[in-house]
Amino acid sequence: MACYNNTASLAATLLAFALTFQACLAGRRLTALVQEPAITMKYHKGALLSGPIAVNFIWYGDFSAPQRAAITDFVSSLTAAAPAAAQPEPSVATWFKTARRYYASSKVPFPALRLGSHAVDRNCSLGRRLTERDLLRLAARGAPSRAINLVLTAADVAVDGFCESRCGTHGASPRSRSGRFAYVWVGNPASQCPGQCAWPFHQPVYGPQAAPLTPPNGDVGVDGMVISLASMLVGTVTNPFGNGFYYQEGSADAPLEAATACAGVYGKGAYPGYAGSLLVDQASGASFNANGAHGRKYLVPALVDLDTSSCATLV
């Protein structure tokens, strides 16, 4: 297993705890009281993804058709084939352009993501409690190279560290003759830890107990998954093998990536316990900050802007 898998998990830990009001772990402060420190992302000269990259889905456990569609449409919003005109501003496509700027500074061509294959394991062939090794085994069911393989676990599937220290993670397969793939794992937190991994669509476990926001796709678990998936996908693109772009603060075992450095920030004016100023759909009352493919609306995390060394939001 790639050595970076553990550090990616630790970075994802920061996201989980920030969502439960432990925002100090991600270096966040009340902006009205303390000036935010610069977040200086450094390129560590490692390999980055480039060229055509297939994003393959491994659905582990029982997902409904609407749940799969909401997540697939989010990934579709990031692909090279997604028509920009179909995503009114602010859009997922514009949000993803922040990751493109990282590649401009590295002089590596930005990868062209495309939708790949779907594999469904509804009966949970590896059981309903998974280890890190199991996640890699599942990820290997996708393409062996030039791929990001997404392992998506259902609400009744437990994964080591899920809820306790992370909402998702990313890593890479070992080098082999057939090539190497990157992978992302995200779990559905609806029944296990919505207060940790689905905030702000659920009340947090700790901190101020403000009313939760209405999720844009009508599913607390899936909309929470999209937040984690967005964070891990950007981490995969900008730091696929552990030696790409990251910001070192404190422990050498927990580098912060483009999204995890901004954990808990979704709109302007965000502070611990408050997601920031967001858009509200007049028909459903749902909160969002990005329009996606096929008329979808999503909530995506702020990303570190290389030009300003600060967390950039869409709204």
Side-chain angles (χ1 to χ4, degrees):
M1 184 175 296
C3 62
Y4 185 64
N5 187 56
N6 290 332
T7 55
S9 300
L10 288 168
T13 298
L14 297 174
L15 175 62
F17 281 103
L19 298 185
T20 60
F21 198 58
Q22 304 302 307
C24 59
L25 292 180
R28 304 301 304 163
R29 298 292 186 271
L30 289 173
T31 56
L33 302 177
V34 179
Q35 180 65 38
E36 291 290 340
I39 306 173
T40 307
M41 285 288 165
K42 180 181 178 181
Y43 179 41
H44 296 266
K45 307 302 181 182
L48 298 173
L49 304 180
S50 64
I53 300 292
V55 182
N56 303 298
F57 300 78
I58 298 94
W59 303 94
Y60 192 80
D62 190 16
F63 286 90
S64 68
Q67 288 177 324
R68 291 197 301 270
I71 293 173
T72 301
D73 284 347
F74 174 73
V75 176
S76 180
S77 304
L78 307 174
T79 62
Q87 298 185 46
E89 295 299 333
S91 69
V92 174
T94 296
W95 171 80
F96 199 47
K97 286 180 181 178
T98 298
R100 185 183 293 273
R101 296 177 196 163
Y102 284 65
Y103 275 67
S105 67
S106 71
K107 304 188 185 306
V108 176
F110 194 70
L113 303 186
R114 64 175 180 84
L115 293 181
S117 63
H118 290 258
V120 178
D121 189 342
R122 186 172 287 105
N123 295 324
C124 299
S125 61
L126 300 182
R128 296 186 185 274
R129 174 140 201 130
L130 303 178
T131 65
E132 202 71 43
R133 181 171 295 183
D134 292 329
L135 294 180
L136 184 56
R137 289 174 62 189
L138 289 171
R141 296 180 182 180
S145 64
R146 306 202 63 77
I148 300 174
N149 296 331
L150 308 182
V151 177
L152 305 158
T153 53
D156 62 347
V157 176
V159 176
D160 286 354
F162 186 34
C163 300
E164 297 172 3
S165 61
R166 60 183 181 171
C167 302
T169 192
H170 75 86
S173 65
R175 299 180 186 277
S176 69
R177 292 181 179 179
S178 59
R180 195 180 191 191
F181 60 82
Y183 71 91
V184 170
W185 159 72
V186 171
N188 187 329
S191 60
Q192 298 184 54
C193 55
Q196 291 165 285
C197 297
W199 183 84
F201 301 126
H202 190 280
Q203 288 181 303
V205 176
Y206 306 108
Q209 298 299 299
L213 304 179
T214 300
N217 293 284
D219 189 314
V220 169
V222 165
D223 281 294
M225 288 182 77
V226 168
I227 293 173
S228 298
L229 179 59
S231 178
M232 293 298 103
L233 275 172
V234 168
T236 299
V237 169
T238 57
N239 191 26
F241 307 114
N243 49 8
F245 286 91
Y246 60 85
Y247 167 60
Q248 197 72 58
E249 180 186 56
S251 171
D253 294 328
L256 300 178
E257 297 177 333
T260 57
C262 300
V265 178
Y266 302 99
K268 287 182 173 60
Y271 55 80
Y274 173 58
S277 179
L278 304 175
L279 301 175
V280 177
D281 183 83
Q282 295 304 309
S284 66
S287 296
F288 69 102
N289 62 6
N291 293 286
H294 305 126
R296 295 278 185 181
K297 292 175 171 57
Y298 297 104
L299 188 66
V300 293
L303 301 177
V304 176
D305 187 323
L306 291 182
D307 295 332
T308 63
S309 297
S310 64
C311 295
T313 61
L314 283 172
V315 297

